[in-house]
Amino acid sequence: MFEDIIEAKASVGHFVKKRVEEFKKLGREGITFYDFRPFLDVQLKADIFSELCFCLLTANSSASIGIRLQKEIGIEGFKRMSFEELVHTISRYGHRFAKQRAERIVKARETFEDVLDIINSAKSGREIRDLLSDACSKYKVEGFGLKEASHFLRNVGFDDVAIIDRHVLRYLRENKLVPDQKTLTRRIYLMAEERLQDVCSELNLTQAELDLYIFYIKTKKVLK
């Protein structure tokens, strides 16, 4: 079982390792440089706030659009562009929720120092995820549920959380590791994360690595 992951590791393992190193550098140093070639002809510099904004943009859209927007807007743009400028830029890329995403980026500026404090604490990725996604938490990021918070944390170097997006969920269902339910409840999300951890243990991978391999299996790309 999981021969497809083993094959993916043999094929693109060096790209996955490089991407995880980029994530770790971002969390450790506060800045990183991404090179998505040959899967996407984009290179960009990112800081932690622009990575948070990338995760807001990618939700209900695609990693490719999020990456292109992250490069277009840039580190300073995410911090300083007006709401109207953000809406205009996001709309040009065909994003369906340009106004909502622009609102969330502007709002995220207000609480980002709290977010930095919590990700630099001694808490685990799972503990921080709950704080970033819980509506009652002072650390809540508007637009972050379990998936989006996990995405952000993985991208700043945490490897103990799983990103249960449509690609991963389809993979788990195809392998009969989770029930075939239409609604992704918190219970199903955490169950899926545990099933993925079982796969990680069997194949000696982290959650961060496994997610990138499953994404590659489903899309033939190593992105983020």
Side-chain angles (χ1 to χ4, degrees):
M1 200 173 180
F2 309 123
E3 289 84 359
D4 51 355
I5 295 173
I6 295 169
E7 290 173 6
K9 186 177 180 181
S11 178
V12 296
H14 55 300
F15 291 110
V16 167
K17 181 180 179 183
K18 177 171 172 286
R19 185 71 68 249
V20 171
E21 287 172 353
E22 291 164 353
F23 295 152
K24 296 285 187 182
K25 185 174 189 291
L26 179 55
R28 185 176 63 249
E29 301 179 17
I31 198 154
T32 198
F33 182 80
Y34 289 115
D35 184 351
F36 297 102
R37 299 172 301 176
F39 308 101
L40 191 67
D41 190 20
V42 176
Q43 302 173 76
L44 64 89
K45 186 179 287 187
D47 68 357
I48 293 176
F49 184 68
S50 75
E51 199 66 21
L52 184 151
C53 294
F54 159 78
C55 294
L56 288 173
L57 289 166
T58 300
N60 299 117
S61 182
S62 71
S64 295
I65 288 176
I67 288 167
R68 294 185 189 282
L69 277 166
Q70 190 177 19
K71 181 175 177 65
E72 168 95 8
I73 295 170
I75 290 173
E76 293 306 313
F78 281 119
K79 295 174 183 174
R80 295 189 170 86
M81 284 173 72
S82 69
F83 168 75
E84 291 77 15
E85 289 172 321
L86 286 167
V87 172
H88 176 72
T89 304
I90 296 168
S91 296
R92 285 197 294 103
Y93 283 79
H95 201 297
R96 293 183 298 158
F97 306 104
K99 287 186 178 180
Q100 183 194 66
R101 295 304 186 266
E103 287 172 355
R104 289 176 174 176
I105 289 167
V106 172
K107 190 169 184 179
R109 294 169 182 168
E110 301 170 8
T111 57
F112 182 61
E113 290 304 316
D114 287 336
V115 173
L116 271 183
D117 287 344
I118 197 65
I119 65 174
N120 288 322
S121 71
K123 295 183 183 296
S124 70
R126 294 189 182 191
E127 290 174 305
I128 298 171
R129 176 178 65 191
D130 283 344
L131 291 169
L132 296 180
S133 60
D134 185 345
C136 298
S137 167
K138 79 168 190 172
Y139 300 102
K140 164 72 175 173
V141 175
E142 188 67 34
F144 272 17
L146 289 174
K147 181 185 73 174
E148 293 78 19
S150 298
H151 194 181
F152 170 62
L153 290 169
R154 192 280 306 272
N155 289 13
V156 295
F158 289 83
D159 51 22
D160 61 339
V161 292
I163 307 162
I164 314 298
D165 62 9
R166 65 184 184 276
H167 302 294
V168 171
L169 197 55
R170 189 180 310 126
Y171 182 85
L172 289 170
R173 286 170 175 164
E174 288 169 356
N175 285 277
K176 303 191 186 318
L177 295 173
V178 295
D180 190 8
Q181 291 185 214
K182 290 184 179 179
T183 305
L184 182 60
T185 63
R186 178 182 175 84
R187 183 181 70 83
I188 296 296
Y189 193 104
L190 297 179
M191 178 193 298
E193 188 169 60
E194 289 305 316
R195 297 294 81 76
L196 288 169
Q197 187 56 51
D198 292 341
V199 179
C200 287
S201 298
E202 183 173 335
L203 300 179
N204 194 29
L205 299 172
T206 65
Q207 291 275 15
E209 293 166 333
L210 180 59
D211 178 82
L212 291 168
Y213 284 125
I214 293 176
F215 188 86
Y216 173 76
I217 289 165
K218 292 301 180 185
T219 68
K220 298 306 175 190
K221 295 177 181 179
V222 177
L223 298 179
K224 63 173 180 170

